[in-house]
Amino acid sequence: MVASARSRFISAATNIFNRTFVSKRAKGCLSQVSLASCKSSTTPITCVYRHSSTAATQQYGDITTATSSTSTTQQQESINSYVSGSTTHFGYENVSINDKEGRVKQVFENVADSYDVMNDFMSAGLHRYWKDELLKMTGVEPMSKAVRRRASLSYANNNNSSSTTKQDDNTSLLSILDVAGGTGDVAFRFIDAANCQERAKSSGVDEISVTVCDINTEMLRVGESRARTKYGNALIDESKSLSFIEGNAQYLPFEDESFDIYTIAFGLRNVTDVDMALRDAYRVLKPGGRFLCLEFSHVENIPLKQLYDVYSFHVIPKLGEVVANDRDSYQYLVESIRKFCTQDELVKRLENAGFEGCKHTNMTGGIVAVHEGWKPL
């Protein structure tokens, strides 16, 4: 039945693309693309939401790998604050900075239940490859093996006293924060790479923790439900390997220097003030901690960009209408990509937030890019 539904969706998507693409080419206007204005388990989520006093005082102010250098003259030039004045962009629409957050939340409430299915259709499954590459770049798998070995030696040397202490100690040896990851797609990759499901069969709190933080309760609901179905309850309730926390990327509900790794996948462009979010990412990372952002970016190859624009503005909204019964939300998501920073601009914003060793890696011709930086020791 699921396979049949997917077949129907793929057929619909193919028809939409063929009609649009062939029509555009027949009219000879591929280079003049019109950019149109663009529930499973009901398991409750325990949401923690508290403003950090530090962050709250901050003001708004093919895989072709191309790693950018931060030494070019253009990157050294200052850039404007992401938000200035009382308005900002919501797709191609100008809105009050006080209104954008609510409107973005509404978008993701609308698409929460179909979000992962739509990702498959919109990217032809490529989003899975991009997220797998993000996982490799984090180094979570080899790091988790080292952490497990260290913990095992500690238990052996201290008999049972260490395990007792560990149950009372909420400090993980490797702590990972995935922001704007409500449905758990990235977090589950970390859980699998770190073998947390197997560890959950033992007693005590896991030495590795993955925290999903998202502003949208509906996305978190979907994510926790998926996690309990996929892994069982022990991972969340007993070993504490995985947790779902409601919070805003601009002022995260966590103490300073709490995490070793911070990831955000396809979420940064939806934040009202990107600079503020980057500063708070810096705040919650431990010295030596690493920031990685997987985000849609800007295609530089002209023929690919033209084809991508046709697909984005004429196929994706129609897919949203057919699959998710929501054209407007996917129109916004397409527009938000075009309004987001270029690769070099985001590198500069990371540097302005205090990160070092900042660079980006393009994937699929720059359709997406991974940006990374390190918090100095």
Side-chain angles (χ1 to χ4, degrees), residues 243-260:
S243 58
F244 291 83
I245 307 294
E246 183 178 339
N248 190 317
Q250 297 171 132
Y251 31 88
L252 294 163
F254 308 109
E255 300 295 333
D256 296 357
E257 302 182 357
S258 298
F259 298 95
D260 299 289

Side-chain angles (χ1 to χ4, degrees), residues 79-131:
I79 57 174
N80 295 328
S81 298
Y82 196 82
V83 169
S84 59
S86 59
T87 62
T88 186
H89 52 81
F90 177 78
Y92 288 159
E93 181 183 355
N94 286 330
V95 298
S96 164
I97 58 173
N98 297 321
D99 293 339
K100 180 173 179 177
E101 182 178 305
R103 295 188 65 170
V104 170
K105 286 178 71 173
Q106 185 61 55
V107 165
F108 286 95
E109 285 179 7
N110 293 345
V111 304
D113 288 310
S114 60
Y115 185 74
D116 292 308
V117 173
M118 274 299 297
N119 281 343
D120 279 328
F121 287 118
M122 290 190 300
S123 69
L126 274 173
H127 77 102
R128 298 176 183 272
Y129 166 71
W130 297 329
K131 291 169 184 174

Side-chain angles (χ1 to χ4, degrees), residues 58 70 75-76 177 179 249 252 257 259-264 268 274-293 345-360 371-377:
Q58 294 174 319
T70 60
Q75 288 174 319
Q76 294 303 322
L177 174 64
V179 176
L252 294 163
E257 302 182 357
F259 298 95
D260 299 289
I261 298 173
Y262 175 119
T263 61
I264 181 168
L268 189 60
V274 168
D275 293 329
M276 188 174 181
L278 294 179
R279 291 194 297 268
D280 218 42
Y282 184 92
R283 177 186 67 82
V284 301
L285 278 170
K286 299 174 184 177
R290 191 177 181 197
F291 170 94
L292 296 103
C293 170
E345 287 171 349
L346 188 51
V347 166
K348 185 60 182 176
R349 292 188 186 282
L350 279 167
E351 292 172 343
N352 288 348
F355 289 100
E356 295 183 353
C358 303
K359 62 180 183 179
H360 77 267
H371 282 74
E372 58 183 298
W374 299 81
K375 183 172 181 175
L377 288 169

Side-chain angles (χ1 to χ4, degrees), residues 150-187:
R150 174 182 167 180
S152 296
L153 289 172
S154 176
Y155 295 156
N157 292 336
N158 297 284
N159 297 319
N160 294 325
S161 61
S162 178
S163 62
T164 303
T165 301
K166 191 62 186 173
Q167 287 185 14
D168 297 331
D169 184 7
N170 291 324
T171 303
S172 300
L173 296 179
L174 177 61
S175 54
I176 304 165
L177 174 64
D178 183 43
V179 176
T183 61
D185 219 27
V186 172

Side-chain angles (χ1 to χ4, degrees), residues 11-12 18 29 58-59 79 135 180 182 188 202 211 231 235 306 334:
S11 176
N18 287 339
C29 58
Q58 294 174 319
Q59 301 297 310
I79 57 174
L135 171 66
F188 296 167
S202 305
T211 302
Y231 299 112
L235 197 76
Q306 292 171 341
V334 168

